[in-house]
Every structure is written in structure tokens, then in C-alpha cells.
Amino acid sequence: MIQEVLYRLQLRDFEDHSVSGDGVVHVSALVQCSLKWFFVAKYPELARAQQFQGYMILGKLVHLGLQRTVEKFMSEFGFRSVSVEVPLEKRINVDGPADLPTIVTVKGRADILAETLDEEKVIVEIKTARGDYNMPSPHHVMQLRTYMNMANVAKGILLYITPDRIAEYTINNPLSDHELQKLIKEFLQRKAPRYDWECGYCPFNILCPRKKTNSYRR
């Protein structure tokens, strides 16, 4: 069944690059509420259930479609080469309290890593959203800047696909190693939530002691 395959692919994708632990932290976890990822490890059944929502599948299909489109028409986009789903990894020495790990491996996966006709490398990060508001989101910018640091790339493009419009933002300031160290330290110290609005979407807000009361959703 096509439906079953789509859901299984979505679940596999989540498990491949979303769960952190054993000295490994994924970028998707770093830029969000760190307490959420503690709950993912403790209550994986709640995290998996969220992956079966239709908008999650739709987002994955948009990613796949855009990646294939850029590959097929790379010259029209001004690229001489294109790679998709590029694995990124970097080891960071975290100077923190004795009870925290000192060496952390940060992992991520760039949606598109391309080289322009002028031999400039650029990372393209694809995002889907339900509406045209609050773009670009701070955590999306942070994610792209982290990828740029890990890939040693000076230019990034944040591409939003929404029902209202397609929006493109150019980012020219990769995260510094110092900023990445700080981000990891905050994650290890379980800073939660990173943004107040996260609680409204989190499947663990029914049991989280740090839930913020929200009167709206973004």
C-alpha cells in the first residue's frame, strides 16, 4: 500500500536523524527545546505517533520533489553540481561543567549542497509552513547557520514553501565555533523551552513541567 510505505519512510527518516544520545546530538534537536529530546528518548511512542500526521508526510514529499527538481534543472538554477541529503558531522569540545560530556558529535543532513557556476558552494534548506507569517523562523535560521559551519560554507538559502507563497532568504553568516559550543552547552543543560511557542506543538506538553501557556499557535 502506498499509504503504508509513505508513513514508514517518514518514521524511518525521523529515527535516522532526530534521536540524540550517547555523545551525539542532531542539529534538529540543538535548535529546539532540549527537554523535548529527553522526552523523545523516554517516551518514543509519543514521538513516533506525531510522525503520522498528514502535514508531516506532505512536508517530506515537498522536500523530495524540490530536491529532484533542482537536480534535474541545476543549470537553470545557476548550479554546476548538486548533492541532496548530504550528511554532515562535526566533533565539538564543550568547555562546561564536569557532569556534562566534553566531546560532542554534532550530526545533520543538508537538504541540498550545490556549487554555483562561479564555483561558490551554497546550502539550500527547504521548509514547509501552513501559512505566510513569522518568516524566517529563528530556529530555521539557526539550523541553516549550523549546517553552514559544519560544511564550511559561507552562503545559505532558506526556502519556504507555503500555501500563500514561496519565500527565499539568503543567509551569509555561518554559526561560529564559539556559538556552536554555546548552543550545545544549552542543549546539554536542558534549556527549555527555547521558544515559548514550541509548547503548543509539542506532543509532550501533557506531561512537561516547563510547559508555557499559549493563547495562540504560530
Side-chain angles (χ1 to χ4, degrees), residues 23-193:
V24 175
V25 180
H26 290 266
V27 176
S28 55
L30 277 180
V31 300
Q32 299 183 49
C33 172
S34 57
L35 194 56
K36 174 182 177 180
W37 302 99
F38 165 78
F39 285 129
V40 167
K42 191 171 184 180
Y43 305 107
E45 64 279 4
L46 290 179
R48 292 191 184 99
Q50 189 182 37
Q51 304 308 306
F52 288 84
Q53 298 186 47
Y55 74 89
M56 299 290 288
I57 305 297
L58 182 60
K60 182 63 178 177
L61 293 177
V62 169
H63 274 70
L64 291 173
L66 273 173
Q67 288 169 335
R68 300 299 172 258
T69 300
V70 173
E71 283 182 315
K72 184 175 181 179
F73 301 102
M74 68 174 72
S75 60
E76 282 85 345
F77 286 98
F79 298 142
R80 62 186 297 178
S81 66
V82 171
S83 300
V84 302
E85 297 295 317
V86 180
L88 302 173
E89 183 173 317
K90 186 170 186 176
R91 288 169 60 85
I92 299 293
N93 189 343
V94 181
D95 181 19
D99 60 333
L100 297 180
T102 55
I103 302 294
V104 173
T105 300
V106 181
K107 290 187 176 183
R109 193 164 59 196
D111 290 335
I112 297 173
L113 177 58
E115 185 176 346
T116 69
L117 300 176
D118 297 327
E119 300 185 354
E120 179 185 27
K121 289 186 177 180
V122 57
I123 287 181
V124 180
E125 181 67 12
I126 303 166
K127 296 297 180 185
T128 55
R130 304 184 205 186
D132 177 16
Y133 43 79
N134 296 323
M135 297 191 308
S137 297
H139 65 299
H140 291 161
V141 174
M142 185 69 73
Q143 181 179 7
L144 177 55
R145 292 181 63 212
T146 303
Y147 286 158
M148 292 165 64
N149 172 293
M150 297 169 70
N152 194 27
V153 170
K155 180 180 179 180
I157 295 175
L158 192 55
L159 181 65
Y160 282 92
I161 309 296
T162 82
D164 301 312
R165 66 181 173 117
I166 298 175
E168 179 179 314
Y169 301 91
T170 300
I171 307 297
N172 294 307
N173 56 330
L175 209 66
S176 68
D177 285 346
H178 175 73
E179 288 175 307
L180 183 52
Q181 287 176 325
K182 180 181 178 182
L183 198 61
I184 295 170
K185 189 182 297 184
E186 290 175 348
F187 175 84
L188 295 174
Q189 293 172 338
R190 295 182 182 171
K191 179 179 179 180

